[in-house]
Amino acid sequence: MTHQRKGEGRTVLITGASAGIGMALSHVFARRGYAIILVARRKDRLDALKAQLEAVHGVRAFSLPADLAKIEAPDEIMEALHAFGLPIDALVNNAGYNLRGATPDNPWAAKRDMLQAMAIAPYALTHLLLPAMRERKFGRILNVASVVGLLPGGGANTLYSGVKAMQVAFSEALHIDERKHGIHVTALCPGLTYSEFHDVDGSRAQMQKLPKFLWHTSESVAEAGYAALDRNAMICVPGLFYRTGIAAARMLPRRLANRIAARIARGAR
Ligand SMILES: NC(=O)c1ccc[n+]([C@@H]2O[C@H](COP(=O)([O-])OP(=O)(O)OC[C@H]3O[C@@H](n4cnc5c(N)ncnc54)[C@H](OP(=O)(O)O)[C@@H]3O)[C@@H](O)[C@H]2O)c1
């Protein structure tokens, strides 16, 4: 007797699938039988991953290169999906990166691109894909935020903390609104995770000095996120250390928490 996998007949679109947590999530969904649509800028990586997912998990996979910092990207993705002819059952808004520094430290164009890729594009994709999910009374939306989004601002990485806080609040509101439509929404809030993230933002040498127990693998974060989405948890913080730390930080008076966050941020600069 053949065993029916949970995601068989379903399709997930994953942004930022060419590396790190997004790549790990594509394996997690594919293992459950989902067809996978892979979005990121590096086409060669997506093509290689598509071949790997098809060979290892026996699912259909599609490479859909896009730069989410481009204002037209969400509409172009919708057009491409139409051509694939696959309805989207699950959306993973994962693509992201950090621009280190205080507000004027980077050119405005770089900040604008970051807002477009990490705030506007995920919101647009959600907005565009939700109606069909509601119609079919089934949907799964996983927004990859960060523990940073659950903590008060501490200076440094100003825009990153703001965008992550927005992703958390947006996910919470969406979770409440969409429950009655059979749509699960989860904000995945990882702490430090091994991926290309700290190479991209140039902090690898500094971050490597931090103790090993603070680090998770992309694979373990992806598994935790999938499980949380499956049971419709509103927020998922992988790892006991981070869960306890967040709970404690949220009980502190805001100004004291800001001061502690500022000290940690100064140490990470
Ligand atoms: N690593 C951590 O410690 C950590 C902790 C908490 C939260 N997170 C969050 O986890 C998510 C995934 O990050 P990661 O750690 O897996 O980093 P990563 O290994 O650097 O992967 C980032 C992914 O985002 C894609 N991406 C970046 N800019 C893009 C754009 N303009 N358009 C399309 N795709 C874009 C990259 O692909 P291309 O370069 O090919 O476009 C890549 O696939 C991010 O939202 C990040 O904020 C990470």
Side-chain angles (χ1 to χ4, degrees):
M1 197 178 73
T2 49
H3 173 67
Q4 170 87 8
R5 293 184 290 181
K6 205 163 188 168
E8 215 74 59
R10 302 215 177 270
T11 304
V12 60
L13 184 152
I14 302 177
T15 71
S18 62
I21 297 169
M23 185 183 277
L25 275 162
S26 71
H27 280 282
V28 168
F29 276 89
R31 204 174 301 129
R32 269 75 175 188
Y34 275 83
I36 318 278
I37 310 227
L38 305 161
V39 174
R41 290 166 300 184
R42 286 170 289 180
K43 183 178 181 316
D44 54 337
R45 291 267 193 119
L46 298 183
D47 291 347
L49 181 58
K50 164 189 155 60
Q52 198 187 24
L53 294 172
E54 289 178 341
V56 175
H57 305 288
V59 296
R60 293 173 78 194
F62 301 82
S63 161
L64 178 44
D67 182 352
L68 296 176
K70 299 239 154 45
I71 196 164
E72 61 279 9
D75 288 328
E76 287 178 359
I77 288 172
M78 292 302 289
E79 267 172 47
L81 292 179
H82 197 66
F84 292 150
L86 290 173
I88 299 300
D89 303 287
L91 167 66
V92 178
N93 285 311
N94 161 78
Y97 56 93
N98 180 30
L99 284 176
R100 299 169 79 206
T103 287
D105 289 350
N106 295 285
W108 162 238
K111 294 279 171 85
R112 190 185 50 211
D113 282 356
M114 186 171 167
L115 278 166
Q116 186 70 40
M118 290 171 68
I120 298 176
Y123 190 89
L125 287 172
T126 306
H127 177 89
L128 295 168
L129 291 168
L130 255 180
M133 289 183 186
R134 279 188 177 190
E135 224 167 82
R136 291 196 305 280
K137 297 184 173 40
F138 181 94
R140 299 285 182 266
I141 298 174
L142 184 66
N143 291 322
V144 183
S146 166
V147 285
V148 164
L150 295 166
L151 293 169
N157 308 325
T158 324
L159 182 57
Y160 187 76
S161 342
V163 165
K164 291 299 174 186
M166 180 260 184
Q167 290 176 344
V168 171
F170 165 51
S171 305
E172 286 176 327
L174 203 65
H175 175 101
I176 292 165
D177 282 349
E178 300 308 320
R179 202 171 9 204
K180 58 182 172 293
H181 298 289
I183 298 169
H184 293 190
V185 182
T186 299
L188 172 58
C189 299
L192 292 171
T193 306
Y194 292 117
S195 70
E196 295 176 9
F197 185 90
H198 298 98
D199 305 307
V200 174
D201 83 354
S203 65
R204 175 68 61 206
Q206 251 173 297
M207 302 307 278
Q208 228 151 259
K209 294 181 195 148
L210 294 172
K212 286 232 170 354
F213 76 88
L214 290 174
W215 292 88
H216 289 268
T217 61
S218 286
E219 289 71 25
S220 67
V221 166
E223 284 292 356
Y226 180 90
L229 182 65
D230 198 41
R231 63 174 187 275
N232 203 18
M234 192 185 268
I235 305 267
C236 168
V237 180
L240 185 62
F241 171 82
Y242 285 107
R243 276 198 297 281
T244 317
I246 295 292
R250 289 184 133 188
M251 285 190 308
L252 293 175
R254 186 85 177 180
R255 290 180 70 144
L256 176 60
N258 284 132
R259 281 216 296 278
I260 296 170
R263 286 192 79 156
I264 296 170
R266 267 201 304 280
R269 256 178 249 187

